[in-house]
């Protein structure tokens, strides 16, 4: 059984922006939204919304002013995919029942058994995502990018 995980555009933006900030962390200065958007081909307006969520979650700091921008709030080794996913998921409204967003979860409904199984799977995924930190991911992404360049 193979199940594809679907991620939101906001989570995609959050991950890609965080990876850029991880790569620039040792430079010491902030990275502008224009730089992130240009490097990743992202919409700057939507990126600003995503970075605001990451800032409220304590994942990034914003620096105001002429030389402002964004930096990771912690070292890349201290920020995990679970942190990023958690920040982006808490920004979305939740319902009592993922099977029927417009209804309360009913214990007599057979789909509630599925809800419990999905909840257990979600907890397992969170544990696994916590094993991936931005420092490791940025190094892996750099090696993969270099391999693609040299293969061309």
């Amino acid at each position: 059984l193979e199940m594809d995980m679907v991620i939101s555009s906001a989570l995609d933006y959050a991950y890609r922006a965080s990876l850029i900030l991880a790569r620039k962390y040792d430079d010491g200065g902030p990275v502008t939204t224009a730089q992130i958007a240009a490097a990743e081909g992202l919409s700057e307006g939507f990126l600003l919304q995503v970075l605001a969520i990451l800032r409220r979650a304590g994942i990034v700091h914003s620096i105001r002013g002429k030389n402002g921008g964004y930096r990771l709030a912690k070292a890349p080794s201290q920020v995990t995919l679970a942190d990023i996913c958690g920040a982006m998921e808490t920004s979305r409204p939740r319902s009592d029942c993922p099977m029927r967003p417009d209804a309360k979860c009913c214990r007599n409904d057979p789909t509630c058994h599925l809800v419990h199984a999905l909840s257990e799977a979600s907890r397992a995924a969170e544990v696994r995502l916590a094993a991936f930190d931005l420092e490791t991911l940025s190094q892996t992404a750099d090696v993969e990018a270099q391999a693609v360049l040299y293969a061309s």
Side-chain angles (χ1 to χ4, degrees):
L1 174 68
E2 186 175 317
M3 295 177 61
D4 291 331
M5 184 174 184
V6 178
I7 64 169
S8 67
S9 295
L11 179 54
D12 178 44
Y13 271 52
Y15 169 70
R16 291 162 66 184
S18 296
L19 205 55
I20 294 267
L21 296 176
R23 288 182 180 134
K24 300 289 188 180
Y25 186 79
D26 289 334
D27 294 350
V31 182
T32 67
T33 54
Q35 290 170 319
I36 297 169
E40 291 293 321
L42 305 175
S43 157
E44 195 172 348
F46 189 52
L47 178 60
L48 279 167
Q49 294 173 34
V50 168
L51 287 168
I53 293 167
L54 293 176
R55 183 184 50 74
R56 285 191 298 274
I59 294 171
V60 301
H61 284 305
S62 61
I63 294 101
R64 295 178 186 235
K66 181 181 172 191
N67 297 318
Y70 290 86
R71 283 187 42 79
L72 286 179
K74 299 183 266 188
S77 63
Q78 300 300 308
V79 181
T80 68
L81 283 182
D83 297 330
I84 296 166
C85 290
M88 299 316 294
E89 288 301 309
T90 57
S91 70
R92 292 185 356 193
R94 293 265 181 200
S95 68
D96 287 344
C97 181
M99 302 305 292
R100 297 184 323 218
D102 59 333
K104 297 274 185 203
C105 193
C106 173
R107 298 279 180 232
N108 298 325
D109 187 333
T111 61
C112 279
H113 298 291
L114 178 59
V115 170
H116 294 298
L118 291 174
S119 179
E120 187 176 319
S122 179
R123 285 190 299 275
E126 186 175 343
V127 167
R128 188 68 185 119
L129 289 171
F132 294 98
D133 65 80
L134 288 178
E135 181 175 56
T136 304
L137 290 167
S138 67
Q139 291 167 354
T140 303
D142 288 343
V143 169
E144 289 173 356
Q146 288 174 3
V148 169
L149 286 174
Y150 291 120
S152 301

